[in-house]
Amino acid sequence: MNLRGKHFLTLKDYSKEEILYLVDLAAKLKEKKKAGQTGHELEGKNIVLLFEKTSTRTRCSFEVAANDEGAHVTYLSNSQMGTKESIEDTAKVLGRMYDGIEFRGSSQKTVEDLAKYSGAVVWNGLTDVDHPTQTLADFLTIKEHLNKPLNEVKFVFTGDIRNNVAYGLAYGACKVGMDFVLLGPDSLHVDEEVKAYCEQAAKESGGKFTITSDVEAVRDADVIYTDIWVSMGEDESLYKPRVEMLSPYKVTKELMARTGKKETLFMHCLPSFHDFNTALAKRKHEEGLDIREVEDEVFRSSQSVVFDEAENRMHTIKAVMVATLGK
C-alpha cells in the first residue's frame, strides 16, 4: 500500500482497501504511542494548519500527531487567503514553504484548489460537505469496541442527515460495505449526487444504503450516531425550526432500547449539547427551547464511546499524515 503524495480531501478518493489500511495503521500507531514510543516518520517536514472555522479536536489532533512524528507545525488562522490574496496565489506561496497543508473551513473547492495549486500534500480537516478525518476516527472506534468486521456493522445516523458529518460517514460506510442508514424527517432532502454516489458505492461493496424517516430503522443497529442540529456558521434563528423538526430523532434511552441490543454504541463527533451546562444550551432552554440532540443519560452511559472517538481523531490523523507524507 503506497499512499505517499496522495491528497486526503474526501474518502470518495480512497478505495475500501486504502480506508481499511489507514484504520489499521492508526491502530498500530496508537499502540506505539501507548507504549511511549515516539515516531520519526515526519522528521524534517513542515506542516501548516489553515483554519477558517473554530476547532478543538481537529487542531489538537493535527498538532499532537505531527509533533509525535517529528514535524514542525504552523497554525494559521489569520492569513490573507480569499480576502487580499486569491486561494491560488496563497496555495503557491504555502507550497514553497510547506510539505503538508491542512484546511478546515467552509468550501470544499478551497481544499481542492489548495491541492491543485500548492504542490504540497493537502488534508481536509472539515468542510461544509465532508469530514473525512472524523469518519476514520469513528471506524477505528467501532473496530475497537465491536467484535465484528466493519462490513458487518449496521450504522444509523439520526437527526440532521444533510450535514457534513453525515455525508462523510456515508461515503466511508458505503465504501467499506456497512449497512448504513440516514434517519431523519422526510423534509430534509439528501443531496441527489450524494445519494447516487452512496447507492453505487454500497452496490459495489456489498453494503446497503437507506434513507428513512421511520425510527424503527434503528432495529438491530450496532451504532447510533448523531450530531448537533445547527452547524457552525448557520444562523441562530434556525434553532426553533430545527428543534421542532428533529426532536423526534433525538437520541434517548428509548431510542437506544429500540435497537434490541444492549451493546449498541452511541457515537457523536462532538461538541454535543447533551445537558444545559453550555451557555448556548442554557440560554435556549430559558427561551423555551431544548436544543439537545442526545439525552445526558445516553451521552454519559456505558454505551457511549464519544471520548474514545475524540482521542482517535489524533491517531487516525497521524495515520493519514504518515501514510501520505511520511518517510
Side-chain angles (χ1 to χ4, degrees), residues 57-259:
R57 281 149 293 279
T58 302
R59 177 183 176 181
C60 295
S61 294
F62 268 100
E63 288 199 4
V64 173
N67 289 329
D68 280 352
E69 293 294 332
H72 300 285
V73 178
T74 300
Y75 173 71
L76 190 59
S77 63
N78 59 344
S79 75
Q80 304 285 3
M81 186 176 73
T83 53
K84 293 184 178 180
E85 185 172 53
S86 70
I87 294 168
E88 178 181 348
D89 290 356
T90 302
K92 289 177 179 178
V93 169
L94 294 176
R96 298 292 184 98
M97 302 178 184
Y98 292 96
D99 305 288
I101 300 171
E102 180 272 349
F103 173 77
R104 177 183 174 91
S106 298
S107 175
Q108 183 74 15
K109 187 177 185 303
T110 299
V111 77
E112 291 170 356
D113 283 348
L114 287 168
K116 180 178 180 180
Y117 296 115
S118 69
V121 177
V122 175
W123 308 295
N124 183 354
L126 174 142
T127 64
D128 285 347
V129 296
D130 210 336
H131 200 359
T133 60
Q134 180 65 52
T135 301
L136 285 186
D138 296 333
F139 286 2
L140 176 59
T141 308
I142 291 169
K143 182 178 178 181
E144 290 174 339
H145 287 273
L146 295 179
N147 187 29
K148 59 170 62 178
L150 292 177
N151 64 353
E152 294 180 11
V153 169
K154 181 175 180 181
F155 191 121
V156 178
F157 183 99
T158 179
D160 183 1
I161 58 177
R162 303 171 307 170
N163 75 12
N164 51 1
V165 174
Y167 285 178
L169 285 166
Y171 298 144
C174 292
K175 276 284 183 101
V176 303
M178 287 186 186
D179 178 356
F180 186 80
V181 179
L182 288 174
L183 173 62
D186 292 327
S187 57
L188 290 183
H189 301 290
V190 174
D191 182 270
E192 287 299 323
E193 288 187 13
V194 173
K195 181 180 177 182
Y197 180 89
C198 291
E199 288 174 344
Q200 182 60 33
K203 182 178 179 181
E204 293 174 1
S205 68
K208 188 177 178 181
F209 178 67
T210 305
I211 303 172
T212 183
S213 59
D214 185 359
V215 294
E216 284 303 316
V218 303
R219 174 67 58 181
D220 296 324
D222 298 294
V223 175
I224 301 292
Y225 198 115
T226 195
D227 192 6
I228 56 176
W229 292 340
V230 177
S231 298
M232 282 186 297
E234 291 190 309
D235 194 271
E236 198 172 305
S237 64
L238 291 173
Y239 275 107
K240 189 174 189 299
R242 291 281 175 85
V243 167
E244 293 171 354
M245 181 192 309
L246 297 174
S247 286
Y249 302 96
K250 176 184 289 189
V251 181
T252 62
K253 290 183 295 182
E254 289 74 23
L255 186 72
M256 294 295 290
R258 278 178 182 260
T259 69

Side-chain angles (χ1 to χ4, degrees), residues 43 61 69 100 109 120 173 194 202 221 241 243 247 253 262 271-272 282-283 290 293 295 304:
E43 278 187 357
S61 294
E69 293 294 332
K109 187 177 185 303
V194 173
V243 167
S247 286
K253 290 183 295 182
K262 293 182 179 179
S272 169
K282 181 179 180 181
R283 175 162 55 84
D290 184 351
E293 71 279 0
E295 289 182 338
S304 176

Side-chain angles (χ1 to χ4, degrees), residues 287-306:
E287 295 172 3
L289 279 181
D290 184 351
I291 66 173
R292 296 177 302 158
E293 71 279 0
V294 56
E295 289 182 338
D296 198 45
E297 294 84 352
V298 174
F299 186 89
R300 298 182 187 277
S301 72
S302 60
Q303 291 172 273
S304 176
V305 293
V306 298

